[in-house]
């Protein structure tokens, strides 16, 4: 165990978050890429150009985060901070695109005459765009506290892997909630394992974030709330 700690605490440790970001990219890729080649229960999703643009923006975000996380391990701290400033603007674009595709898919379903599916399926991506800015905002606020900042960025990026995890063809239809959680939370589990092996400690931010993100599937109770019905009925009236 001591030898493993020494190895993980050396060069491999300095690149740890870069490799972790690549794993998050892989989760998204494994979830979305097969959908372009395998039959889908909702084929109209591939006919919506906003979906494609949204996918490109999300992939671009993860790629930029991976690049930024690579820089400190190369001693390029100033470049890391410079790219981080661009990530702030990119995060705003990410939220705009997330909301755009959410409302676009809502309109598609309303026009197909499926108001119930529109109401239910709008909530997960809509709520993602409520939680992600909070986590990213916290990472930004604590950017001068490197250890906290890195872990908050992992939590924020995990939010963006939920759609990919939910679309993996091998988790069943309807998707197995436990499998989704295991996949999209895997970067956090890996991060906790790394911290224990290297530093012999578990950071509270990971524990709190893990609890919050693990409860995300329970958010579906909101779709039965009258206020959500009123909001989606109002949106449908505008279509």
């Amino acid at each position: 165990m001591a030898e493993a700690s020494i190895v993980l605490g050396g060069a491999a440790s300095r690149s740890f978050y870069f490799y972790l970001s690549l794993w998050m990219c892989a989760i998204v890729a494994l979830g979305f890429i097969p959908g372009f080649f395998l039959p889908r229960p909702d084929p109209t999703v591939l006919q919506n150009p906003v979906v494609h643009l949204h996918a490109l923006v999300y992939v671009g975000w993860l790629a930029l985060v991976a690049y930024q996380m690579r820089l400190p391990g190369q001693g390029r701290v100033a470049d890391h901070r410079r790219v981080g400033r661009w990530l702030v603007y990119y995060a705003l674009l990410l939220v705009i695109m997330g909301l755009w595709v959410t409302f676009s898919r809502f309109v598609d379903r309303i026009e197909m005459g499926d108001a119930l599916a529109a109401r239910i399926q709008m909530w997960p991506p809509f709520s993602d765009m409520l939680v992600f800015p909070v986590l990213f905002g916290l990472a930004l606020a604590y950017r001068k506290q490197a250890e906290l900042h890195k872990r908050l960025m992992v939590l924020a990026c995990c939010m963006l892997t939920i759609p990919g995890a939910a679309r993996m063809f091998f988790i069943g239809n309807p998707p197995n909630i436990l499998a989704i959680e295991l996949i999209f939370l895997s970067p956090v589990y890996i991060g906790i394992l790394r911290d224990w092996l290297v530093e012999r400690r578990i950071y509270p931010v990971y524990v709190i974030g893990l609890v919050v993100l693990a409860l995300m599937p329970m958010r579906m109770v909101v779709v039965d709330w009258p206020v959500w019905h009123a909001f989606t009925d109002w949106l449908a009236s505008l279509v």
Side-chain angles (χ1 to χ4, degrees):
M1 187 69 74
E3 292 179 357
S5 178
I6 292 172
V7 172
L8 288 172
S13 180
R14 292 193 294 272
S15 300
F16 172 77
Y17 288 94
F18 168 65
Y19 293 119
L20 192 62
S21 65
L22 291 183
W23 170 238
M24 288 188 276
C25 291
I27 292 174
V28 174
L30 289 170
F32 278 96
I33 291 177
F36 287 87
F37 304 101
L38 299 175
R40 296 179 59 95
D42 184 8
T44 61
V45 70
L46 297 182
Q47 299 171 10
N48 190 329
V50 178
V51 174
H52 297 279
L53 181 59
H54 165 265
L56 287 175
V57 170
Y58 270 52
V59 169
W61 164 271
L62 290 172
L64 191 58
V65 168
Y67 172 69
Q68 192 209 24
M69 289 184 174
R70 181 63 170 168
L71 296 174
Q74 298 175 332
R76 299 167 61 187
V77 177
D79 289 337
H80 172 84
R81 291 171 179 164
R82 191 175 299 111
V83 174
R85 288 194 285 272
W86 284 105
L87 277 176
V88 175
Y89 299 107
Y90 206 130
L92 178 60
L93 174 62
L94 203 66
V95 172
I96 292 172
M97 284 303 308
L99 292 174
W100 185 11
V101 78
T102 297
F103 290 121
S104 177
R105 296 296 296 132
F106 177 84
V107 170
D108 288 345
R109 294 183 178 104
I110 290 294
E111 291 179 344
M112 292 172 61
D114 198 345
L116 179 61
R119 172 184 296 154
I120 294 173
Q121 295 183 37
M122 179 182 176
W123 174 240
F126 184 77
S127 56
D128 286 348
M129 291 302 99
L130 297 178
V131 177
F132 168 76
V134 173
L135 292 172
F136 180 73
L138 287 171
L140 187 62
Y142 288 99
R143 63 189 179 279
K144 293 184 179 179
Q145 299 182 36
E147 298 306 316
L148 187 55
H149 168 72
K150 290 185 289 189
R151 289 160 180 82
L152 283 167
M153 280 297 293
V154 171
L155 292 170
C157 290
C158 275
M159 283 298 305
L160 304 181
T161 67
I162 295 176
R167 284 167 173 78
M168 291 186 177
F169 64 91
F170 53 81
I171 63 174
N173 187 21
N176 184 294
I177 298 299
L178 185 60
I180 294 175
E181 289 208 352
L182 182 62
I183 294 168
F184 93 84
L185 289 175
S186 61
V188 183
Y189 295 134
I190 295 170
I192 290 174
L193 178 61
R194 178 264 172 201
D195 291 343
W196 179 251
L197 289 175
V198 176
E199 304 181 30
R200 289 294 188 272
R201 62 175 294 187
I202 295 176
Y203 284 79
V205 65
Y206 267 156
V207 177
I208 296 171
L210 193 61
V211 171
V212 171
L213 295 183
L215 292 175
M216 289 299 288
M218 303 178 106
R219 62 185 163 171
M220 294 308 293
V221 299
V222 172
V223 301
D224 294 323
W225 291 3
V227 66
W228 183 248
H229 284 212
F231 176 64
T232 52
D233 287 345
W234 172 73
L235 282 179
S237 70
L238 300 177
V239 176

